[in-house]
Amino acid sequence: MTMNLNCMSEWDRCLPRPDELTPLSQGLIPHDLACAFNIPPSSSASTCTVTTPSSDVLNTSPHSAFESFLRMRSVLLPSIESEQKGVAETAVPLYQSNFNEPRDVMKPVKETSDQSLDGMQLNQAGRVGGVLMAGAYSSSAPDNDYGSVLGPGMTNGLSRLMSNSSYAHITESSVVDVNHPKALLEEARGGCGRTTGSMLEGTNFMHLKVDPSEEVDSAPSSMDTFQGNSVAISNEEQSARTLKKPRLVWTPQLHKRFVDAVAHLGIKHAVPKTIMQLMNVDGLTRENVASHLQKYRLYLKRMQGLSNEGPSSSDHLFASTPVPPSLAASAHFLVSHHSQHLDHPYGPVQNSNLPAILGHTAHHLAPHISSQAPSFSSFNTRPAFSSLTRAPAPPLMSSDLMREGHMQQSSSAPGQVLTLFPTSHN
DNA sequence: AACACAATAT
DNA sequence: CATATTGTGT
């Protein structure tokens, strides 16, 4: 707890002052980006003023918006008490676009060069064009410490706020979408069945294209296998609406975030929705989490049966993030009778990096290569690591990374040392 | 509506 | 195989 407080004060210290924030009245889209998207300047200038009548945040001054942001943050900070209500401020994007490649602007998150961005990734099922999220701006300043994080973070936070309810009101000035990854994603997924009754119907949205035939992990910049246009903006919603939602790939990083959230909540409070909120990953659905949680619980059960470290054959993913002590200790409540309550047997986990969970955009969550990848070799193959090595992000302490380094050696992975992250010896 | 869980589908 | 979806009961 103390540590968390320390983290938070550090976090606080690094927050930009209101005067450092980009005024909302100002266009947030860089000129060249606007050009790439054929976004008229006028439209880009109105980026933040469009939409969301329901949000008190957007039409206000940067300063009050900032305060709203702080308010939101405070909701989640104190403890689990508020978990149901909490909305974290900076969502980790599911997808990212690469601004350096105008011709291929929208592409799935991928392990590219030096841009270690976060999140999950898609597998073969489909690629959803990247999300133009505010956080992407930080890629121009990769070693952003916490000062620069907040700029994007806040914007993203706003987007998340909105995405819960308000984005349906977004008008056709597509610029808005750029700042609302989740809205974009939902739209790309075709309004999506269970989660959201998309009220986007007739409107003329810019949206993402999904190309089901594209393999995510291959496909360097080489191609525009995107249908026709490399720029994934189009007006034919038909395609987007028809295409199926891509499968989520639970990367070790993503799973770690999941575990952190679960551990932080304690067994009692670890329910899909809450976990999802804590994870704060854009595009992540409750169903995604529920499914994963179901599996994870089974894993925990099975693991405690075998008290000795059983290197279970097929649990590479779960093995990648050690079960936090607090979870391991209370795992036996999963057996047989549920609805036993023991909240927070050991309090928050020592390593639980609250800020990270709460939505600090985690640049070290670089995705690995998708493709089935039975091994973690991709981590050795050079994930973008630069930002991590020199930016000791308070949220995720280096000790945390170290802790992940050792894992139960799996019999199935003979020689390989399964390190989650490449270390100096690699 | 959210949840858990098993079964089944992709 | 990993994840999604569905069905049933709470």
Side-chain angles (χ1 to χ4, degrees):
Chain A
M1 193 49 173
T2 355
M3 177 172 169
N4 285 332
L5 289 176
N6 289 338
C7 286
M8 290 319 299
S9 60
E10 166 118 5
W11 162 270
D12 283 332
R13 234 180 305 124
C14 297
L15 293 176
R17 285 161 297 145
D19 60 280
E20 292 173 330
L21 298 172
T22 304
L24 292 181
S25 58
Q26 201 172 312
L28 293 178
I29 303 180
H31 177 259
D32 32 320
L33 177 59
C35 291
F37 283 5
N38 294 324
I39 298 170
S42 55
S43 148
S44 107
S46 62
T47 295
C48 283
T49 52
V50 220
T51 82
T52 65
S54 61
S55 171
D56 61 339
V57 174
L58 285 192
N59 291 321
T60 56
S61 70
H63 185 256
S64 51
F66 179 63
E67 286 182 337
S68 298
F69 164 73
L70 288 180
R71 232 180 297 124
M72 289 164 49
R73 184 173 64 97
S74 68
V75 173
L76 271 183
L77 266 188
S79 72
I80 47 180
E81 238 76 89
S82 52
E83 85 253 34
Q84 288 291 3
K85 285 283 164 193
V87 177
E89 67 283 4
T90 304
V92 174
L94 241 186
Y95 316 108
Q96 168 220 354
S97 64
N98 189 340
F99 290 149
N100 294 328
E101 303 176 40
R103 284 283 299 163
D104 193 9
V105 175
M106 297 295 214
K107 59 196 279 184
V109 174
K110 190 176 121 142
E111 182 179 20
T112 53
S113 60
D114 49 24
Q115 307 222 352
S116 72
L117 287 192
D118 358 303
M120 317 183 263
Q121 58 186 184
L122 304 176
N123 66 357
Q124 31 70 280
R127 55 193 285 179
V128 163
V131 167
L132 296 182
M133 23 76 67
Y137 288 113
S138 61
S139 60
S140 58
D143 43 327
N144 66 58
D145 30 28
Y146 309 106
S148 50
V149 167
L150 214 246
M154 194 187 94
T155 314
N156 231 359
L158 297 183
S159 87
R160 182 156 183 100
L161 241 198
M162 294 173 56
S163 63
N164 284 336
S165 57
S166 320
Y167 72 81
H169 300 288
I170 293 170
T171 67
E172 84 168 4
S173 50
S174 49
V175 183
V176 174
D177 287 4
V178 169
N179 288 321
H180 298 79
K182 198 165 184 177
L184 261 183
L185 182 61
E186 303 273 20
E187 176 61 9
R189 286 169 169 177
C192 87
R194 260 148 83 120
T195 11
T196 332
S198 160
M199 317 202 286
L200 301 171
E201 313 183 35
T203 50
N204 214 11
F205 282 125
M206 157 174 100
H207 64 274
L208 304 174
K209 271 187 183 169
V210 175
D211 183 351
S213 64
E214 232 339 273
E215 186 68 35
V216 148
D217 60 293
S218 58
S221 53
S222 57
M223 59 207 18
D224 286 347
T225 325
F226 284 134
Q227 318 171 341
N229 296 342
S230 54
V231 176
I233 302 175
S234 109
N235 287 325
E236 316 115 29
E237 303 124 37
Q238 289 289 64
S239 52
R241 195 147 294 165
T242 309
L243 293 167
K244 64 172 183 182
K245 175 166 129 183
R247 265 173 94 129
L248 174 69
V249 174
W250 283 92
T251 64
Q253 289 80 13
L254 191 56
H255 175 65
K256 181 183 189 304
R257 196 158 250 242
F258 167 86
V259 171
D260 280 347
V262 172
H264 206 269
L265 290 168
I267 290 187
K268 179 185 176 184
H269 296 278
V271 294
K273 194 177 183 180
T274 311
I275 297 170
M276 178 195 71
Q277 288 172 155
L278 263 187
M279 286 179 69
N280 193 26
V281 173
D282 252 333
L284 185 67
T285 68
R286 195 184 64 84
E287 276 111 6
N288 290 139
V289 176
S291 180
H292 194 66
L293 179 61
Q294 186 174 3
K295 211 175 133 197
Y296 187 60
R297 281 176 175 148
L298 291 175
Y299 170 76
L300 289 182
K301 273 185 201 172
R302 179 155 36 89
M303 279 302 278
Q304 82 156 12
L306 289 52
S307 58
N308 51 23
E309 310 252 335
S312 41
S313 46
S314 64
D315 291 318
H316 277 310
L317 209 215
F318 291 149
S320 71
T321 299
V323 177
S326 64
L327 279 186
S330 46
H332 62 276
F333 286 114
L334 293 173
V335 180
S336 66
H337 48 55
H338 41 35
S339 71
Q340 188 96 12
H341 42 267
L342 186 68
D343 32 334
H344 270 230
Y346 298 100
V349 193
Q350 68 288 3
N351 83 318
S352 71
N353 24 73
L354 200 44
I357 292 179
L358 291 183
H360 173 94
T361 300
H363 285 247
H364 48 271
L365 283 186
H368 73 321
I369 302 176
S370 121
S371 80
Q372 294 297 39
S375 73
F376 297 103
S377 56
S378 50
F379 288 102
N380 302 329
T381 64
R382 190 72 230 106
F385 205 56
S386 46
S387 64
L388 197 154
T389 41
R390 60 180 135 110
L396 192 51
M397 316 288 278
S398 53
S399 60
D400 296 325
L401 296 177
M402 289 320 195
R403 222 169 49 74
E404 298 177 55
H406 61 62
M407 46 197 306
Q408 320 133 19
Q409 45 212 163
S410 156
S411 52
S412 57
Q416 272 287 37
V417 179
L418 300 180
T419 51
L420 257 185
F421 297 91
T423 49
S424 43
H425 62 277
N426 280 335

